[in-house]
Amino acid sequence: MAEVTSTFQLKTGDSAPAFSLPDAEGRQHHLADLAGRKGTLIIFACNHCPFVVQLAETIGHFAKDISESGISTLAINSNDIARYPADAPEKMPAFADESGWQFPYLLDEDQQVAHAYHAACTPDFYLFDHDLKLVYAGQFDAARPNNDKPLTGADLRQAIEALLVGEPPLSPQLPSSGCSIKWKPGNEPSYPA
């Protein structure tokens, strides 16, 4: 499994690119309607990536915890579903349910949202403040399927704690890593991925 890291093309203070995406049942969701009153966590994810699978249940608990602080969570699947049928929309609800995801899991079929965010891997985490300005882009924690580090969410949790008390964004921000987003042929990004 080849490991790809975050691009860090979106910078602290950048606005979250707006979008409207469907969930697996075809209901449209707009970023503005999903934003939390204190912040919004956007995760680029998919069903089959071992890096996401390793974190999935922990992310479910994590999202529930931070929702109590006014931070909403949503996940976006941007993978090429024709070439990676394990990520097809009909399989997304079962994966989300098994993982305890009580937040929207959306489909970016044309991959335009992944391009707008300069997302590179699954998972890729973006934390925005109440004005949808980027405060953190980086790893959940240091755990990976190929190491024995515990799943704690320490890096992302520190970023959220700083956001909630009005402290400056964490520095340095370590990149997330995982499987590359599975780009459609001819739709590969021009940014480093």
Side-chain angles (χ1 to χ4, degrees), residues 6 8 14 30 42 51 55 66 69 71 77 81 83 90 100 109 113-114 122 124 138 148 166 178 185-186:
S6 303
F8 288 136
D14 285 352
H30 305 278
I42 297 175
F51 292 85
L55 297 175
I66 65 173
S69 299
I71 297 176
N77 173 6
I81 58 176
R83 292 190 307 138
E90 60 270 15
E109 191 166 5
V113 176
T122 55
D124 218 349
D148 59 359

PDB file of all heavy atoms in Angstrom, residues 6 8 14 30 42 51 55 66 69 71 77 81 83 90 100 109 113-114 122 124 138 148 166 178 185-186:
ATOM      1  N   SER A   6      -0.762  14.658   2.894  1.00  0.00           N
ATOM      2  CA  SER A   6      -1.508  15.890   2.625  1.00  0.00           C
ATOM      3  C   SER A   6      -0.663  16.862   1.805  1.00  0.00           C
ATOM      4  O   SER A   6       0.562  16.863   1.903  1.00  0.00           O
ATOM      5  CB  SER A   6      -1.879  16.588   3.936  1.00  0.00           C
ATOM      6  OG  SER A   6      -2.621  15.762   4.786  1.00  0.00           O
ATOM      7  N   PHE A   8      -1.079  20.378   1.847  1.00  0.00           N
ATOM      8  CA  PHE A   8      -0.929  21.681   2.501  1.00  0.00           C
ATOM      9  C   PHE A   8      -1.036  22.833   1.499  1.00  0.00           C
ATOM     10  O   PHE A   8      -0.407  23.868   1.656  1.00  0.00           O
ATOM     11  CB  PHE A   8       0.379  21.779   3.289  1.00  0.00           C
ATOM     12  CG  PHE A   8       0.405  20.961   4.549  1.00  0.00           C
ATOM     13  CD1 PHE A   8       1.513  20.203   4.870  1.00  0.00           C
ATOM     14  CD2 PHE A   8      -0.674  20.952   5.420  1.00  0.00           C
ATOM     15  CE1 PHE A   8       1.552  19.452   6.039  1.00  0.00           C
ATOM     16  CE2 PHE A   8      -0.656  20.209   6.590  1.00  0.00           C
ATOM     17  CZ  PHE A   8       0.466  19.455   6.900  1.00  0.00           C
ATOM     18  N   ASP A  14      -7.430  30.451   5.012  1.00  0.00           N
ATOM     19  CA  ASP A  14      -8.166  30.327   3.748  1.00  0.00           C
ATOM     20  C   ASP A  14      -9.612  29.928   4.016  1.00  0.00           C
ATOM     21  O   ASP A  14      -9.899  29.167   4.949  1.00  0.00           O
ATOM     22  CB  ASP A  14      -7.532  29.272   2.840  1.00  0.00           C
ATOM     23  CG  ASP A  14      -6.241  29.734   2.183  1.00  0.00           C
ATOM     24  OD1 ASP A  14      -5.888  30.922   2.304  1.00  0.00           O
ATOM     25  OD2 ASP A  14      -5.572  28.884   1.548  1.00  0.00           O
ATOM     26  N   HIS A  30     -25.416  21.169   1.541  1.00  0.00           N
ATOM     27  CA  HIS A  30     -24.612  22.357   1.269  1.00  0.00           C
ATOM     28  C   HIS A  30     -23.702  22.617   2.457  1.00  0.00           C
ATOM     29  O   HIS A  30     -24.141  22.537   3.612  1.00  0.00           O
ATOM     30  CB  HIS A  30     -25.514  23.571   1.032  1.00  0.00           C
ATOM     31  CG  HIS A  30     -26.522  23.354  -0.047  1.00  0.00           C
ATOM     32  ND1 HIS A  30     -26.219  23.506  -1.378  1.00  0.00           N
ATOM     33  CD2 HIS A  30     -27.824  22.965   0.015  1.00  0.00           C
ATOM     34  CE1 HIS A  30     -27.288  23.233  -2.099  1.00  0.00           C
ATOM     35  NE2 HIS A  30     -28.277  22.893  -1.285  1.00  0.00           N
ATOM     36  N   ILE A  42     -13.913  18.604   8.135  1.00  0.00           N
ATOM     37  CA  ILE A  42     -14.161  17.912   6.870  1.00  0.00           C
ATOM     38  C   ILE A  42     -13.092  16.845   6.709  1.00  0.00           C
ATOM     39  O   ILE A  42     -11.895  17.132   6.832  1.00  0.00           O
ATOM     40  CB  ILE A  42     -14.139  18.893   5.686  1.00  0.00           C
ATOM     41  CG1 ILE A  42     -15.276  19.915   5.840  1.00  0.00           C
ATOM     42  CG2 ILE A  42     -14.255  18.137   4.358  1.00  0.00           C
ATOM     43  CD1 ILE A  42     -15.280  21.010   4.782  1.00  0.00           C
ATOM     44  N   PHE A  51      -6.130   2.881   5.850  1.00  0.00           N
ATOM     45  CA  PHE A  51      -5.859   4.002   6.761  1.00  0.00           C
ATOM     46  C   PHE A  51      -7.175   4.541   7.327  1.00  0.00           C
ATOM     47  O   PHE A  51      -7.238   4.905   8.500  1.00  0.00           O
ATOM     48  CB  PHE A  51      -5.100   5.116   6.035  1.00  0.00           C
ATOM     49  CG  PHE A  51      -3.699   4.744   5.641  1.00  0.00           C
ATOM     50  CD1 PHE A  51      -3.451   4.070   4.455  1.00  0.00           C
ATOM     51  CD2 PHE A  51      -2.622   5.076   6.444  1.00  0.00           C
ATOM     52  CE1 PHE A  51      -2.162   3.730   4.081  1.00  0.00           C
ATOM     53  CE2 PHE A  51      -1.325   4.740   6.088  1.00  0.00           C
ATOM     54  CZ  PHE A  51      -1.092   4.064   4.892  1.00  0.00           C
ATOM     55  N   LEU A  55      -9.106   3.981  11.375  1.00  0.00           N
ATOM     56  CA  LEU A  55      -9.593   5.107  12.182  1.00  0.00           C
ATOM     57  C   LEU A  55     -11.109   5.205  12.276  1.00  0.00           C
ATOM     58  O   LEU A  55     -11.614   5.969  13.104  1.00  0.00           O
ATOM     59  CB  LEU A  55      -9.110   6.423  11.559  1.00  0.00           C
ATOM     60  CG  LEU A  55      -7.629   6.715  11.475  1.00  0.00           C
ATOM     61  CD1 LEU A  55      -7.403   8.008  10.700  1.00  0.00           C
ATOM     62  CD2 LEU A  55      -7.033   6.834  12.856  1.00  0.00           C
ATOM     63  N   ILE A  66     -16.889  15.919  19.740  1.00  0.00           N
ATOM     64  CA  ILE A  66     -16.697  17.326  19.368  1.00  0.00           C
ATOM     65  C   ILE A  66     -18.003  18.013  19.005  1.00  0.00           C
ATOM     66  O   ILE A  66     -18.104  19.235  19.098  1.00  0.00           O
ATOM     67  CB  ILE A  66     -15.628  17.502  18.256  1.00  0.00           C
ATOM     68  CG1 ILE A  66     -16.062  16.874  16.935  1.00  0.00           C
ATOM     69  CG2 ILE A  66     -14.281  16.957  18.721  1.00  0.00           C
ATOM     70  CD1 ILE A  66     -15.118  17.163  15.769  1.00  0.00           C
ATOM     71  N   SER A  69     -19.313  20.238  21.543  1.00  0.00           N
ATOM     72  CA  SER A  69     -18.645  21.538  21.658  1.00  0.00           C
ATOM     73  C   SER A  69     -19.035  22.482  20.531  1.00  0.00           C
ATOM     74  O   SER A  69     -18.475  23.576  20.416  1.00  0.00           O
ATOM     75  CB  SER A  69     -17.126  21.349  21.635  1.00  0.00           C
ATOM     76  OG  SER A  69     -16.710  20.550  22.705  1.00  0.00           O
ATOM     77  N   ILE A  71     -18.876  21.673  17.160  1.00  0.00           N
ATOM     78  CA  ILE A  71     -18.116  21.427  15.930  1.00  0.00           C
ATOM     79  C   ILE A  71     -18.777  20.289  15.171  1.00  0.00           C
ATOM     80  O   ILE A  71     -18.943  19.190  15.696  1.00  0.00           O
ATOM     81  CB  ILE A  71     -16.644  21.101  16.239  1.00  0.00           C
ATOM     82  CG1 ILE A  71     -16.007  22.322  16.906  1.00  0.00           C
ATOM     83  CG2 ILE A  71     -15.895  20.706  14.972  1.00  0.00           C
ATOM     84  CD1 ILE A  71     -14.603  22.123  17.357  1.00  0.00           C
ATOM     85  N   ASN A  77     -16.385  11.298   0.115  1.00  0.00           N
ATOM     86  CA  ASN A  77     -15.788  10.220  -0.671  1.00  0.00           C
ATOM     87  C   ASN A  77     -15.612  10.731  -2.091  1.00  0.00           C
ATOM     88  O   ASN A  77     -16.586  10.942  -2.803  1.00  0.00           O
ATOM     89  CB  ASN A  77     -16.710   8.995  -0.636  1.00  0.00           C
ATOM     90  CG  ASN A  77     -16.269   7.871  -1.546  1.00  0.00           C
ATOM     91  OD1 ASN A  77     -15.203   7.908  -2.153  1.00  0.00           O
ATOM     92  ND2 ASN A  77     -17.105   6.850  -1.649  1.00  0.00           N
ATOM     93  N   ILE A  81     -15.478   5.696  -8.340  1.00  0.00           N
ATOM     94  CA  ILE A  81     -16.279   4.524  -7.964  1.00  0.00           C
ATOM     95  C   ILE A  81     -16.385   3.503  -9.090  1.00  0.00           C
ATOM     96  O   ILE A  81     -16.682   2.334  -8.844  1.00  0.00           O
ATOM     97  CB  ILE A  81     -17.673   4.928  -7.449  1.00  0.00           C
ATOM     98  CG1 ILE A  81     -18.436   5.732  -8.495  1.00  0.00           C
ATOM     99  CG2 ILE A  81     -17.543   5.697  -6.149  1.00  0.00           C
ATOM    100  CD1 ILE A  81     -19.861   6.078  -8.103  1.00  0.00           C
ATOM    101  N   ARG A  83     -13.814   2.476 -10.946  1.00  0.00           N
ATOM    102  CA  ARG A  83     -12.643   1.612 -10.821  1.00  0.00           C
ATOM    103  C   ARG A  83     -12.478   1.044  -9.414  1.00  0.00           C
ATOM    104  O   ARG A  83     -11.736   0.082  -9.220  1.00  0.00           O
ATOM    105  CB  ARG A  83     -11.375   2.372 -11.227  1.00  0.00           C
ATOM    106  CG  ARG A  83     -11.354   2.679 -12.729  1.00  0.00           C
ATOM    107  CD  ARG A  83     -10.016   3.219 -13.216  1.00  0.00           C
ATOM    108  NE  ARG A  83      -9.578   4.363 -12.448  1.00  0.00           N
ATOM    109  CZ  ARG A  83      -8.314   4.547 -12.035  1.00  0.00           C
ATOM    110  NH1 ARG A  83      -7.381   3.694 -12.335  1.00  0.00           N
ATOM    111  NH2 ARG A  83      -7.996   5.629 -11.345  1.00  0.00           N
ATOM    112  N   GLU A  90     -23.785   2.878  -2.864  1.00  0.00           N
ATOM    113  CA  GLU A  90     -24.647   1.912  -2.171  1.00  0.00           C
ATOM    114  C   GLU A  90     -23.940   1.221  -1.002  1.00  0.00           C
ATOM    115  O   GLU A  90     -24.588   0.648  -0.132  1.00  0.00           O
ATOM    116  CB  GLU A  90     -25.219   0.874  -3.151  1.00  0.00           C
ATOM    117  CG  GLU A  90     -24.205   0.046  -3.892  1.00  0.00           C
ATOM    118  CD  GLU A  90     -23.757   0.656  -5.217  1.00  0.00           C
ATOM    119  OE1 GLU A  90     -23.994   1.855  -5.466  1.00  0.00           O
ATOM    120  OE2 GLU A  90     -23.140  -0.086  -6.001  1.00  0.00           O
ATOM    121  N   GLY A 100     -20.097   3.904  13.179  1.00  0.00           N
ATOM    122  CA  GLY A 100     -20.718   4.822  14.129  1.00  0.00           C
ATOM    123  C   GLY A 100     -20.700   6.267  13.670  1.00  0.00           C
ATOM    124  O   GLY A 100     -20.738   7.197  14.473  1.00  0.00           O
ATOM    125  N   GLU A 109     -18.589  12.746  -6.756  1.00  0.00           N
ATOM    126  CA  GLU A 109     -18.385  11.873  -7.911  1.00  0.00           C
ATOM    127  C   GLU A 109     -17.523  12.496  -8.995  1.00  0.00           C
ATOM    128  O   GLU A 109     -16.715  11.818  -9.624  1.00  0.00           O
ATOM    129  CB  GLU A 109     -19.728  11.429  -8.489  1.00  0.00           C
ATOM    130  CG  GLU A 109     -19.576  10.331  -9.513  1.00  0.00           C
ATOM    131  CD  GLU A 109     -20.882   9.651  -9.859  1.00  0.00           C
ATOM    132  OE1 GLU A 109     -21.943  10.080  -9.381  1.00  0.00           O
ATOM    133  OE2 GLU A 109     -20.817   8.683 -10.624  1.00  0.00           O
ATOM    134  N   VAL A 113     -14.713  18.741  -5.647  1.00  0.00           N
ATOM    135  CA  VAL A 113     -14.501  19.215  -4.276  1.00  0.00           C
ATOM    136  C   VAL A 113     -13.109  18.804  -3.796  1.00  0.00           C
ATOM    137  O   VAL A 113     -12.391  19.598  -3.179  1.00  0.00           O
ATOM    138  CB  VAL A 113     -15.618  18.716  -3.337  1.00  0.00           C
ATOM    139  CG1 VAL A 113     -15.336  19.117  -1.897  1.00  0.00           C
ATOM    140  CG2 VAL A 113     -16.964  19.267  -3.786  1.00  0.00           C
ATOM    141  N   ALA A 114     -12.692  17.588  -4.104  1.00  0.00           N
ATOM    142  CA  ALA A 114     -11.325  17.167  -3.749  1.00  0.00           C
ATOM    143  C   ALA A 114     -10.306  18.097  -4.378  1.00  0.00           C
ATOM    144  O   ALA A 114      -9.328  18.498  -3.743  1.00  0.00           O
ATOM    145  CB  ALA A 114     -11.089  15.724  -4.187  1.00  0.00           C
ATOM    146  N   THR A 122      -6.658   9.613   1.678  1.00  0.00           N
ATOM    147  CA  THR A 122      -7.726   9.217   2.583  1.00  0.00           C
ATOM    148  C   THR A 122      -7.060   8.508   3.769  1.00  0.00           C
ATOM    149  O   THR A 122      -6.341   7.547   3.558  1.00  0.00           O
ATOM    150  CB  THR A 122      -8.735   8.278   1.886  1.00  0.00           C
ATOM    151  OG1 THR A 122      -8.062   7.164   1.325  1.00  0.00           O
ATOM    152  CG2 THR A 122      -9.488   9.001   0.789  1.00  0.00           C
ATOM    153  N   ASP A 124      -7.871  12.649   4.866  1.00  0.00           N
ATOM    154  CA  ASP A 124      -7.268  13.980   4.839  1.00  0.00           C
ATOM    155  C   ASP A 124      -8.211  14.868   5.653  1.00  0.00           C
ATOM    156  O   ASP A 124      -9.413  14.912   5.371  1.00  0.00           O
ATOM    157  CB  ASP A 124      -7.132  14.479   3.396  1.00  0.00           C
ATOM    158  CG  ASP A 124      -5.853  15.270   3.137  1.00  0.00           C
ATOM    159  OD1 ASP A 124      -5.159  15.625   4.109  1.00  0.00           O
ATOM    160  OD2 ASP A 124      -5.559  15.542   1.959  1.00  0.00           O
ATOM    161  N   GLY A 138      -4.158  18.520   8.743  1.00  0.00           N
ATOM    162  CA  GLY A 138      -3.091  17.622   9.157  1.00  0.00           C
ATOM    163  C   GLY A 138      -3.612  16.296   9.637  1.00  0.00           C
ATOM    164  O   GLY A 138      -4.760  15.930   9.392  1.00  0.00           O
ATOM    165  N   ASP A 148       2.628   0.714  15.518  1.00  0.00           N
ATOM    166  CA  ASP A 148       1.887   0.266  16.702  1.00  0.00           C
ATOM    167  C   ASP A 148       1.494   1.432  17.607  1.00  0.00           C
ATOM    168  O   ASP A 148       1.226   1.247  18.784  1.00  0.00           O
ATOM    169  CB  ASP A 148       2.698  -0.770  17.471  1.00  0.00           C
ATOM    170  CG  ASP A 148       4.056  -0.239  17.930  1.00  0.00           C
ATOM    171  OD1 ASP A 148       4.380   0.933  17.635  1.00  0.00           O
ATOM    172  OD2 ASP A 148       4.786  -0.999  18.588  1.00  0.00           O
ATOM    173  N   GLY A 166      -9.771  30.011  21.397  1.00  0.00           N
ATOM    174  CA  GLY A 166      -9.325  31.181  20.659  1.00  0.00           C
ATOM    175  C   GLY A 166      -7.823  31.338  20.558  1.00  0.00           C
ATOM    176  O   GLY A 166      -7.325  32.441  20.321  1.00  0.00           O
ATOM    177  N   GLY A 178      -2.179   8.515   3.919  1.00  0.00           N
ATOM    178  CA  GLY A 178      -3.050   7.386   3.656  1.00  0.00           C
ATOM    179  C   GLY A 178      -2.964   6.994   2.201  1.00  0.00           C
ATOM    180  O   GLY A 178      -2.008   7.335   1.503  1.00  0.00           O
ATOM    181  N   PRO A 185      -9.316   8.579 -14.549  1.00  0.00           N
ATOM    182  CA  PRO A 185      -8.311   8.810 -15.594  1.00  0.00           C
ATOM    183  C   PRO A 185      -8.503  10.178 -16.237  1.00  0.00           C
ATOM    184  O   PRO A 185      -9.611  10.554 -16.596  1.00  0.00           O
ATOM    185  CB  PRO A 185      -8.567   7.680 -16.588  1.00  0.00           C
ATOM    186  CG  PRO A 185      -9.209   6.594 -15.782  1.00  0.00           C
ATOM    187  CD  PRO A 185     -10.052   7.321 -14.746  1.00  0.00           C
ATOM    188  N   GLY A 186      -7.424  10.925 -16.331  1.00  0.00           N
ATOM    189  CA  GLY A 186      -7.475  12.257 -16.906  1.00  0.00           C
ATOM    190  C   GLY A 186      -7.898  13.340 -15.938  1.00  0.00           C
ATOM    191  O   GLY A 186      -7.928  14.513 -16.283  1.00  0.00           O
TER     192      GLY A 186
END
